[in-house]
Amino acid sequence: EPPSTYGIAQSNNINIIDATCPIVLRLHKMIQTNAQKYPEATTVIFGKKDHAEVVGLVGQVGGNAVVLSSEDEIEQIDFSKSILLYSQTTMNSHKYNALADIIAKRLAAASPKSALMKFDTVCRSVALRERNLREYAASRDAILFVAGANSSNGKYLYSMCCEANSRAYYISSQGDIRRSMLDGVGSLGVTGATSTPKWLLQNVADAALRMASK
């Protein structure tokens, strides 16, 4: 959430229990601090504009930030100024690095005296999972991928499973399991998004085992 949400809650004497990921909270502080330290620089965030995390990140600079979801949108950037570049924590690290390279080249050509300050803000648990997830998905007959229906991270990681295994199924709970998902399956993998709780993964695994044994 942006600072304005906290302000509204505090002005109404609402007790706040903040369950924001600590990695995201550190990024909030980083964006605020750097914006104050380099007031003439442009804050640029690689992420999905309407994603809850990005709304919170942009709010750290009062909405004064450029949000890019791909390199096709870089024309929004004012290349006459220095740039502070961040990524939504759950974005693809390779795409983030590629975008940074393109921005660096454009900035060097347009304004040699300006600087690109790129910050490594992709969550390590997301970045490290990418290779392992592909290997895991390829080693099983089928995959049940468990995540919320609107999870950005979930959809991204699920796409990796699909690339490695044509029998990968996106579900949100054990109630979404269908017998057809288990037909002819000797080894079943159960995994999920970064934020999918272990108890939910275990519930899905147990339910799949019960269904398969009938």
Side-chain angles (χ1 to χ4, degrees):
E1 289 292 331
S4 58
T5 300
Y6 292 82
I8 292 170
Q10 290 166 355
S11 65
N12 287 278
N13 298 316
I14 296 172
N15 183 43
I16 299 174
I17 300 174
D18 197 339
T20 306
C21 171
I23 294 171
V24 176
L25 285 177
R26 285 197 293 272
L27 179 51
H28 284 185
K29 182 66 175 178
M30 183 187 299
I31 290 175
Q32 284 185 358
T33 301
N34 288 333
Q36 293 169 3
K37 186 176 180 180
Y38 307 101
E40 300 303 318
T42 301
T43 296
V44 178
I45 298 170
F46 174 50
K48 299 184 178 181
K49 188 174 183 179
D50 296 324
H51 190 280
E53 180 186 332
V54 174
V55 171
L57 299 180
V58 172
Q60 305 308 311
V61 286
N64 189 24
V66 176
V67 178
L68 308 176
S69 60
S70 72
E71 62 184 72
D72 297 332
E73 300 174 343
I74 64 172
E75 297 305 326
Q76 299 178 55
I77 300 174
D78 180 356
F79 286 100
S80 67
K81 301 178 180 180
S82 293
I83 297 170
L84 303 167
L85 181 62
Y86 310 90
S87 173
Q88 178 183 335
T89 60
T90 54
M91 295 298 280
N92 183 303
S93 58
H94 299 295
K95 291 182 179 180
Y96 179 46
N97 292 332
L99 177 68
D101 289 341
I102 293 171
I103 291 175
K105 291 176 182 177
R106 284 288 301 273
L107 185 63
S111 182
K113 293 184 179 180
S114 297
L116 170 63
M117 290 166 273
K118 171 179 174 283
F119 301 91
D120 184 10
T121 57
V122 175
C123 177
R124 293 294 183 185
S125 65
V126 175
L128 293 174
R129 287 189 66 201
E130 295 177 6
R131 183 183 64 185
N132 294 338
L133 190 59
R134 289 179 188 274
E135 294 175 353
Y136 178 71
S139 70
R140 300 295 186 272
D141 294 331
I143 293 291
L144 294 181
F145 188 94
V146 190
N150 298 316
S151 170
S152 175
N153 172 245
K155 291 176 182 177
Y156 166 59
L157 294 178
Y158 172 64
S159 70
M160 290 191 166
C161 289
C162 291
E163 290 174 3
N165 191 321
S166 61
R167 293 196 64 181
Y169 306 99
Y170 195 111
I171 63 175
S172 295
S173 71
Q174 59 268 34
D176 295 334
I177 303 173
R178 299 292 178 263
R179 178 70 208 190
S180 59
M181 299 176 181
L182 309 177
D183 288 344
V185 174
S187 62
L188 177 70
V190 178
T191 186
T194 305
S195 58
T196 303
K198 290 183 179 179
W199 62 263
L200 181 54
L201 295 176
Q202 190 61 57
N203 284 353
V204 167
D206 292 343
L209 186 60
R210 288 195 299 271
M211 185 177 291
S213 63
K214 292 181 179 179

